[in-house]
Amino acid sequence: MMTYIIAGGIFVFCGFVLYHYVSKLRRGESCCSEGEEPIKKVHVADRNKKHYPYEIIFFIDGMTCANCALRVENVLNSQPGIYAKVDLGQRKASVLSKEPADVSALRQRVRDAGYTVLNVKE
């Protein structure tokens, strides 16, 4: 009888953990968004890469999840004339610009978002 009680307790505990995990995924939470509203992507109006003749690559440290990458991408894409894509696996942001960009200002915006720019390739 005691075996059934212990097994039932373990079953209830596992069910609670699974329910909590699934509900967390549905809310869009991750390692760095506990309790925050889901992050909304900043969309760039002009996504034609041919309109962006300048490219800068930022190598960024501190991104650990898709929300981190989205934060960095949003910070960069909120600048006029900038179209950025972040690759979390390679920890880099490819930034396209219509005009020569102020690299130090973009670097500071990434820093203000809480991430470290390790290197910049122009």
Side-chain angles (χ1 to χ4, degrees):
M1 181 67 174
M2 188 57 109
T3 305
Y4 292 119
I5 294 173
I6 292 172
I10 291 172
F11 181 74
V12 169
F13 177 74
C14 289
F16 173 75
V17 169
L18 182 63
Y19 172 79
H20 180 61
Y21 179 72
V22 169
S23 66
K24 186 175 180 177
L25 289 177
R26 284 187 181 154
R27 287 190 305 266
E29 293 181 9
S30 66
C31 68
C32 58
S33 67
E34 195 71 36
E36 295 178 11
E37 290 292 318
I39 300 170
K40 294 184 178 152
K41 184 172 182 152
V42 172
H43 293 283
V44 177
D46 182 8
R47 289 186 251 167
N48 186 345
K49 293 182 180 181
K50 292 178 183 177
H51 297 160
Y52 298 90
Y54 303 97
E55 182 177 17
I56 306 163
I57 307 289
F58 289 92
F59 295 94
I60 301 169
D61 189 33
M63 297 187 299
T64 57
C65 67
N67 277 343
C68 294
L70 185 56
R71 276 191 184 93
V72 171
E73 197 169 286
N74 283 347
V75 161
L76 295 169
N77 283 335
S78 65
Q79 297 298 109
I82 298 290
Y83 180 32
K85 284 289 190 183
V86 174
D87 184 339
L88 179 61
Q90 294 184 2
R91 299 187 192 274
K92 73 176 185 176
S94 299
V95 179
L96 302 174
S97 63
K98 292 183 175 184
E99 302 290 328
D102 183 357
V103 176
S104 61
L106 293 175
R107 181 189 294 248
Q108 186 60 45
R109 291 192 57 84
V110 171
R111 211 177 289 137
D112 291 344
Y115 304 95
T116 305
V117 177
L118 298 174
N119 197 6
V120 177
K121 180 181 171 187
E122 294 186 58

